[in-house]
Amino acid sequence: MEVVKVRVPFGERDGRMLAPTEVSRGLACQCRCPGCGASLIAKRLSKSGLHFFAHHNAPECPGGVESALHKMAKQIIQENARILTSQYNVSISVPYQGKLLTDVVAFSAKEEALYGVKLERRVDKWVPDIIASLASGKPIHIEILVTHKVKREKAKGLDNVLEIDLSAIDRSMPINKATLKNLVIYKAPRQWYRCSLYDRHGEVYKRIEQLKEKFDLENRLKAKYQVQISKLKSMQDAQIQEAYRESKQQDERFKTAERWLSERKNKIKLTEKTCLWGIPMFMILDIPIEDDWVFSVHRKVWQARLIFGFIYHADGTRRKSTISLGPAYNHVCKHYPLHEWLVDLRNIDEKELLKVTGCRVPCARSVVSRYLHYLTRNDINLLQSTGRRDVKDGLFRVLKNPLQ
């Protein structure tokens, strides 16, 4: 197997970088090492087909690979006149009415066309690797990192500095122009330094105004709904919700419902026509439903009221052949209204509340809807969804023999 020490990947001729596949073999390539300037010989290994350059009558140049990568990368950008930029985060810190408002605006990487690409042109006292203009007319300065990062003073002195990092390229392996092109334009790590493109972007100023609006809104809402908002935030915590349910089990309405349910369970006869209690009690009552705390009683109480006070009679026979969501919801609210503080929050625009609290007011109607749909499950089968909706109300068929 032919083995070759990786040498200079690209040669220089008349100011242009060339791959060994683009030139004649041997000294006829007329290329020089971009590092030391020595003549190069273009070669090709017969078995592997590997193309490479070797120094002619000169020792291998220690900096030849780095110089070749650096110069070819700049040429690739000039030839293709486009580049994928890097993500950039703008940190906002604005004093406003005695408070420091902070946020971060994230700008995604995007492919940009480059105009008027020039190499090694002086800008004030600095000489960036590449200078160009974007479609917006704003300048961009591109630095190619092979062995040395851009100096801090240079990064601060130039505006819109993008560094392309090629330092991870394995010097022991050959690299062709196509692979390097993909790395330079798209794949290699890259980062912005000083960047007024985004620091002064309209989205930044827009976010600042949004922060101020949110702050003003929060102050207005807190002044009027401080207690309600505090309660809403606390009820988003699962442990607090569970503590709330446990406290409701000490409520007299819960104890009354428990006694009544015990009597119903004993009185209902398990005949074919009234087989409601062929289903275990725990499968239809005290069913966890998202936001089931919205009503002023334990969920077992309002669910029992819905089963025996609206869907079925106390003896387990059905009241109606068809029910709908609206009347079912109204039935629960009539006996167990929502918390007063929750009703107050309905007066707030949902978008405004979301800005301030990060959460929405739970929809009690949806809580009842989810419970009714739970009763349509195959293992419960008390109800059957008709698949029809009259305006806002889901329709359900009440089954005579739920288990059959």
Side-chain angles (χ1 to χ4, degrees):
M1 178 179 179
E2 294 175 277
V3 178
V4 61
K5 179 181 178 181
V6 176
R7 299 180 173 88
V8 181
F10 308 108
E12 188 171 17
R13 186 177 71 191
D14 299 329
R16 283 187 55 77
M17 299 300 297
L18 298 168
T21 55
E22 298 176 304
V23 297
S24 303
R25 302 268 188 88
L27 285 171
C29 68
Q30 298 182 0
C31 291
R32 292 189 173 276
C33 173
C36 64
S39 296
L40 296 176
I41 303 173
K43 294 187 174 184
R44 177 182 179 276
L45 295 180
S46 58
K47 290 185 178 180
S48 65
L50 175 66
H51 291 79
F52 63 96
F53 285 109
H55 283 68
H56 176 62
N57 293 334
E60 290 302 321
C61 173
V65 176
E66 285 75 14
S67 296
L69 290 174
H70 191 266
K71 289 188 175 182
M72 180 58 92
K74 292 189 291 184
Q75 182 175 301
I76 286 172
I77 293 175
Q78 186 176 44
E79 290 175 346
N80 292 272
R82 68 181 190 275
I83 198 74
L84 179 69
T85 63
S86 172
Q87 177 182 330
Y88 187 76
N89 294 332
V90 178
S91 296
I92 297 175
S93 182
V94 182
Y96 183 68
Q97 296 187 12
K99 185 176 180 180
L100 190 64
L101 307 180
T102 60
D103 201 357
V104 175
V105 182
F107 294 93
S108 301
K110 60 184 294 189
E111 187 173 354
E112 295 273 13
L114 303 176
Y115 301 89
V117 181
K118 304 294 183 183
L119 308 184
E120 307 287 349
R121 292 295 180 90
R122 179 171 292 278
V123 179
D124 296 329
K125 64 177 182 178
W126 310 107
V127 181
D129 289 334
I130 299 167
I131 182 172
S133 297
L134 301 174
S136 62
K138 299 286 179 109
I140 181 173
H141 304 95
I142 301 175
E143 292 289 313
I144 307 298
L145 164 59
V146 178
T147 54
H148 302 290
K149 294 178 68 68
V150 61
K151 292 182 178 179
R152 181 178 299 180
E153 296 78 9
K154 186 177 184 180
K156 288 183 177 181
L158 294 170
D159 191 14
N160 304 328
V161 179
L162 180 69
E163 183 179 69
I164 311 297
D165 186 357
L166 303 180
S167 61
I169 292 178
D170 188 352
R171 308 294 199 277
S172 66
M173 299 296 292
I175 182 168
N176 57 45
K177 186 176 180 179
T179 300
L180 184 62
K181 173 183 173 181
N182 191 41
L183 286 170
V184 169
I185 296 180
Y186 299 109
K187 299 296 184 181
R190 55 206 62 213
Q191 66 169 320
W192 287 105
Y193 285 90
R194 176 184 164 194
C195 186
S196 68
L197 280 173
Y198 298 122
D199 292 333
R200 302 170 190 168
H201 196 281
E203 284 297 319
V204 174
Y205 297 110
K206 181 179 178 181
R207 185 68 60 84
I208 291 174
E209 291 306 311
Q210 289 173 342
L211 286 174
K212 292 179 179 178
E213 290 174 6
K214 179 180 177 181
F215 180 79
D216 292 338
L217 174 63
E218 186 173 353
N219 284 340
R220 290 198 304 272
L221 293 184
K222 279 184 175 179
K224 189 173 182 180
Y225 299 103
Q226 184 173 6
V227 174
Q228 294 89 329
I229 289 175
S230 177
K231 288 183 177 180
L232 177 62
K233 285 184 175 181
S234 69
M235 289 306 291
Q236 306 307 308
D237 184 88
Q239 291 183 343
I240 292 179
Q241 289 183 25
E242 191 56 37
Y244 167 81
R245 295 188 188 97
E246 290 180 5
S247 70
K248 287 299 178 182
Q249 289 179 353
Q250 307 307 315
D251 190 296
E252 186 56 38
R253 290 177 297 182
F254 180 84
K255 294 177 181 179
T256 301
E258 283 282 78
R259 290 193 295 268
W260 190 89
L261 286 170
S262 180
E263 293 173 1
R264 292 309 94 198
K265 183 177 181 181
N266 294 330
K267 289 182 178 180
I268 293 176
K269 296 179 181 180
L270 300 181
T271 65
E272 284 188 355
K273 293 184 178 180
T274 58
C275 58
L276 179 65
W277 295 117
I279 307 169
M281 182 82 77
F282 69 85
M283 291 186 65
I284 61 173
L285 296 177
D286 199 8
I287 304 303
I289 303 292
E290 184 181 1
D291 297 326
D292 56 26
W293 53 266
V294 295
F295 297 108
S296 59
V297 293
H298 190 279
R299 64 189 176 214
K300 190 172 186 178
V301 179
W302 68 259
Q303 289 174 8
R305 169 69 69 172
L306 197 55
I307 290 285
F308 287 107
F310 184 77
I311 301 175
Y312 293 94
H313 290 287
D315 63 358
T317 58
R318 65 179 183 170
R319 291 176 178 271
K320 299 177 182 179
S321 60
T322 305
I323 64 169
S324 57
L325 171 60
Y329 167 69
N330 292 334
H331 180 80
V332 175
C333 286
K334 177 182 176 181
H335 294 87
Y336 314 113
L338 305 180
H339 300 289
E340 291 184 3
W341 62 267
L342 198 58
V343 175
D344 291 340
L345 290 177
R346 286 179 164 183
N347 298 324
I348 305 176
D349 180 86
E350 187 172 2
K351 290 182 180 179
E352 292 184 344
L353 184 65
L354 187 62
K355 283 182 182 179
V356 173
T357 66
C359 53
R360 295 181 172 86
V361 176
C363 178
R365 189 186 186 90
S366 295
V367 173
V368 175
S369 175
R370 286 191 286 270
Y371 179 64
L372 293 178
H373 278 92
Y374 169 82
L375 297 178
T376 67
R377 283 181 16 173
N378 290 336
D379 56 340
I380 308 298
N381 209 30
L382 295 185
L383 303 180
Q384 188 178 72
S385 177
T386 65
R388 292 175 51 205
R389 304 179 72 85
D390 61 345
V391 191
K392 298 180 180 179
D393 296 340
L395 296 176
F396 301 86
R397 184 178 295 107
V398 182
L399 301 182
K400 286 184 179 180
N401 302 312
L403 295 183
Q404 295 183 358

